[in-house]
Amino acid sequence: MKTLHGDGILSIIEKIMKNNKNQNNPTIVITSDETMMSSYTGGIFLGFSTCMPTGIFPSWLYFKTIAPPVPRKKGRAIQADYGLRMVEATLRENGFNEQEVAVVHPKDLKKTIGDETEIIAVGGHDILGINPPTSEFVEFLQTGPPLNRLKFIELIKQPAVQNRTLIVGGKSAWQVAEVDIMDRLGINHVYLGEAETKLPETIKSILKNEEVPRIIHSNQPSTHQIPSIKGATIHGLVETMRGCGRGCDFCTPSMQKIRFKPIEKIMRDVQVNIDSGLNSILLHSEDILRYGSRKITPDQQKVIKLFKKVSQTQGVKEIKTSHISLSSAYHNPDLIQEITEICMELPNQEIIGTQTGIETGSPKLLNRYMKGKALPSTPNEWPNIVEQSLGLLNDNNWFPACTLMYGLPQETEKDVKLTLDLLDNIKNTSKIVVPLNFVSMEGSALSNDKSFTAKDMQPIHWILIGECIEQSIDSIKKLQKQNKKIMTPKGNYFKTKLVNYFIKFLINNSQKYIKDLKKGKPPKDYQNLKKNYRKPEI
């Protein structure tokens, strides 16, 4: 029998440690900042709180209680942002295996990144905090820079990230797509567009030390190029379509070609989420009512088939939707009713949450910048469409979070007054109204226009914001009285109490401004700011 001496034992231990290390050191690490890697204790609309600035609520407490990390196992995220999952799936379908590609929470980068790790791919929705509503919240409150910006900078400055090839992509990658910004932040490449077409070849070229452009522009993939996800997503989000088809000039999804994923592919993604232990599915689209229809009129049979398939999947207890069009709802009330009947049969379904765009009460602005929004009706009918569709949604137990755009180019005081008139007509409906300042975003038809800032605000804009805040608070309080848990977690007494405290904290801090806002008075002197947190310091 061979005896192992000290050197032999040490050699074996080193080999074991090396093998274990290799198992945890993927070649490509996919990640995002902390604001993107949480389920927000299950409250879908609480995700908006990641747009707030620092100085409002203690950040350490926020990330422990309101936006705690997603579940992780052995350094890998069990749930992750859908965009990260799509990058993972795209690479896995193009020659990389499970050991080589890992989706990782930023807190786990240090223990996951190792000698074999060559590429860090970072995604995000608003990495520098200059999209609405982040830019608006930060500029108005002036308490500090936004959480998403701070956490993004914190992520890419981690020692573990250094000396690797850093690629930044996602919907807000345009914010850093300038060589001087990239150099200051240590970003090697910025990837603009959808992952499926050019990302695999880009990654392979980097690994071969081939020449790769600093800024990569991708093409739009067809639906057969879009792979099925390999791991669960936050909120059980499942993509059903890409693109919008209504053509709003200020929006980026409207610039995408409209494409629908086959139901078989959607159901595979549903099953991946259910198999991971989730029981709620969030159907993502720009308008779920138009799933399967290239025309402006919904294909009701396809939409109903989709909802029935998902609802009949063993383990699904609740269905949510990311977006709908108010015009689609208005012109198809029977479709809303039938979807409601399907969803309300599920054991955890109390209400159906969704997001939608009101944007304006001015037919003139609608005709100029978002003519397709009211179709098949005319822009002149838009105010009535908004009023009637919100009533229809509420009657069917839907609760929408609505966006409203102000400061569009060539907007007049009359346009804002018409929007205020519309708000007055819908004041008794249940909804959240999030007022958004116009931001000139790369990839939109208005990318060359000037963004609208606090310095551009007139008294009537402050009145508009005050009205939106007041109506939103009234609706949230109404939901809380009805014990509807669209913003709070289910089944956990402690978490529910904690989230309710956070919501109450935000409401109380907002209410103190409403009276002056509705008089047209700004919260601060924005003409003479000593520091403007809206502009990133990088």
Side-chain angles (χ1 to χ4, degrees):
M1 182 175 178
K2 190 174 181 180
T3 304
L4 289 175
H5 298 287
D7 289 345
I9 294 172
L10 185 61
S11 175
I12 292 172
I13 291 173
E14 285 175 349
K15 285 181 181 179
I16 292 171
M17 290 179 69
K18 187 175 180 180
N19 288 336
N20 287 338
K21 188 177 181 182
N22 288 343
Q23 289 173 10
N24 293 321
N25 291 166
T27 307
I28 305 153
V29 167
I30 304 164
T31 189
S32 188
D33 71 84
E34 281 187 69
T35 66
M36 294 289 298
M37 294 291 274
S38 174
S39 63
Y40 321 108
T41 66
I44 183 171
F45 289 150
L46 277 179
F48 279 116
S49 66
T50 61
C51 301
M52 70 181 181
T54 53
I56 299 292
F57 194 79
S59 295
W60 67 269
L61 184 60
Y62 176 80
F63 285 106
K64 277 189 173 293
T65 58
I66 307 303
V70 293
R72 296 110 73 202
K73 185 177 182 180
K74 295 183 179 179
R76 300 193 178 213
I78 295 174
Q79 297 169 23
D81 172 71
Y82 179 83
L84 305 188
R85 286 297 188 209
M86 193 47 53
V87 170
E88 173 192 37
T90 298
L91 295 177
R92 292 271 302 277
E93 292 289 321
N94 284 275
F96 295 94
N97 62 42
E98 187 177 2
Q99 284 70 43
E100 292 172 312
V101 180
V103 178
V104 179
H105 189 280
K107 283 185 175 293
D108 296 327
L109 290 177
K110 184 178 178 181
K111 67 181 180 183
T112 305
I113 293 173
D115 295 339
E116 297 78 21
T117 306
E118 297 190 44
I119 295 174
I120 312 294
V122 178
H125 290 186
D126 192 7
I127 53 181
L128 291 185
I130 57 180
N131 284 353
T134 309
S135 58
E136 179 182 43
F137 294 166
V138 169
E139 188 174 32
F140 289 171
L141 295 170
Q142 285 298 315
T143 59
L147 285 170
N148 44 23
R149 182 192 304 162
L150 282 182
K151 289 298 179 179
F152 170 72
I153 301 294
E154 182 183 293
L155 162 62
I156 63 174
K157 294 298 182 183
Q158 282 196 41
V161 175
Q162 307 308 305
N163 303 317
R164 270 102 185 161
T165 301
L166 178 60
I167 306 175
V168 174
K171 292 182 178 180
S172 61
W174 64 270
Q175 296 177 3
V176 293
E178 294 179 18
V179 172
D180 62 327
I181 294 176
M182 294 167 67
D183 288 342
R184 274 180 277 158
L185 292 175
I187 298 169
N188 300 98
H189 304 280
V190 170
Y191 187 94
L192 299 173
E194 299 172 56
E196 294 85 357
T197 52
K198 290 190 176 181
L199 187 61
E201 67 182 65
T202 298
I203 296 289
K204 289 174 183 178
S205 293
I206 291 170
L207 293 173
K208 292 176 184 176
N209 293 317
E210 297 175 348
E211 191 73 23
V212 174
R214 296 289 304 277
I215 300 172
I216 301 122
H217 295 267
S218 72
N219 304 316
Q220 295 186 22
S222 60
T223 52
H224 80 267
Q225 290 177 286
I226 302 172
S228 298
I229 56 175
K230 307 300 181 185
T233 56
I234 293 169
H235 295 304
L237 187 146
V238 171
E239 184 181 51
T240 63
M241 60 184 280
R242 291 186 188 177
C244 170
R246 290 192 179 266
C248 297
D249 289 346
F250 53 83
C251 190
T252 51
S254 66
M255 304 298 285
Q256 291 179 304
K257 180 173 67 176
I258 193 164
R259 290 150 290 167
F260 306 99
K261 293 175 73 172
I263 280 189
E264 296 73 27
K265 221 170 211 181
I266 294 169
M267 295 311 300
R268 283 200 291 272
D269 288 354
V270 169
Q271 196 61 55
V272 167
N273 281 291
I274 296 302
D275 289 345
S276 79
L278 294 173
N279 58 32
S280 177
I281 296 297
L282 172 58
L283 295 177
H284 175 62
S285 66
E286 298 305 321
D287 180 7
I288 196 63
L289 303 180
R290 279 188 60 209
Y291 171 73
S293 175
R294 296 194 177 277
K295 299 178 181 178
I296 210 72
T297 304
D299 185 327
Q300 297 202 17
Q301 286 187 341
K302 287 183 179 177
V303 177
I304 293 304
K305 181 181 178 182
L306 172 63
F307 274 88
K308 281 185 175 178
K309 281 271 190 182
V310 176
S311 70
Q312 291 167 0
T313 301
Q314 187 173 359
V316 173
K317 296 182 178 180
E318 183 182 27
I319 297 175
K320 302 168 185 173
T321 65
S322 67
H323 297 86
I324 65 164
S325 161
L326 292 178
S327 186
S328 294
Y330 172 80
H331 290 101
N332 301 274
D334 52 334
L335 181 56
I336 291 291
Q337 291 167 6
E338 197 163 350
I339 290 171
T340 304
E341 289 172 6
I342 293 168
C343 292
M344 286 303 164
E345 291 293 321
L346 295 169
N348 289 357
Q349 197 87 45
E350 294 182 347
I351 200 165
I352 303 173
T354 196
Q355 297 179 52
T356 191
I358 294 174
E359 315 311 2
T360 183
S362 166
K364 183 198 82 177
L365 288 181
L366 202 83
N367 188 58
R368 187 187 299 270
Y369 298 118
M370 41 193 131
K371 191 177 291 186
K373 203 164 191 63
L375 289 175
S377 295
T378 65
N380 285 334
E381 296 172 83
W382 179 245
N384 182 57
I385 289 172
V386 173
E387 186 177 351
Q388 297 301 319
S389 58
L390 288 179
L392 169 70
L393 291 171
N394 285 175
D395 289 345
N396 283 276
N397 224 9
W398 291 59
F399 185 85
C402 312
T403 54
L404 191 149
M405 182 74 65
Y406 65 90
L408 282 162
Q410 301 182 52
E411 176 194 76
T412 65
E413 186 170 323
K414 182 180 177 182
D415 295 320
V416 185
K417 283 181 178 176
L418 287 170
T419 302
L420 280 167
D421 290 341
L422 175 57
L423 282 172
D424 188 58
N425 290 339
I426 62 173
K427 64 184 176 184
N428 293 322
T429 57
S430 293
K431 77 282 174 194
I432 294 172
V433 186
V434 182
L436 304 175
N437 61 305
F438 166 69
V439 173
S440 176
M441 291 191 290
E442 189 69 32
S444 74
L446 298 178
S447 60
N448 293 323
D449 286 87
K450 179 182 176 293
S451 295
F452 193 82
T453 70
K455 288 185 176 181
D456 302 313
M457 299 278 282
Q458 300 300 312
I460 196 165
H461 292 112
W462 297 115
I463 294 170
L464 182 73
I465 289 171
E467 186 63 36
C468 290
I469 293 172
E470 186 172 62
Q471 290 196 21
S472 297
I473 288 174
D474 288 345
S475 292
I476 291 169
K477 287 181 174 179
K478 191 187 301 182
L479 268 186
Q480 288 178 321
K481 283 183 181 178
Q482 296 170 349
N483 200 30
K484 301 290 187 183
K485 296 182 176 64
I486 196 167
M487 296 186 73
T488 55
K490 295 177 175 66
N492 188 310
Y493 176 81
F494 176 72
K495 284 185 178 179
T496 300
K497 282 288 183 183
L498 207 57
V499 171
N500 281 333
Y501 168 79
F502 178 69
I503 293 170
K504 187 177 180 180
F505 173 84
L506 295 180
I507 287 173
N508 290 341
N509 275 274
S510 301
Q511 279 181 317
K512 63 186 180 184
Y513 295 110
I514 290 175
K515 189 175 180 181
D516 281 344
L517 285 171
K518 292 187 74 174
K519 291 178 182 178
K521 296 180 181 178
K524 299 180 187 295
D525 178 8
Y526 296 102
Q527 301 303 320
N528 298 292
L529 291 174
K530 292 181 180 179
K531 190 174 182 66
N532 188 357
Y533 292 108
R534 179 191 180 102
K535 187 177 180 180
E537 293 182 354
I538 51 177

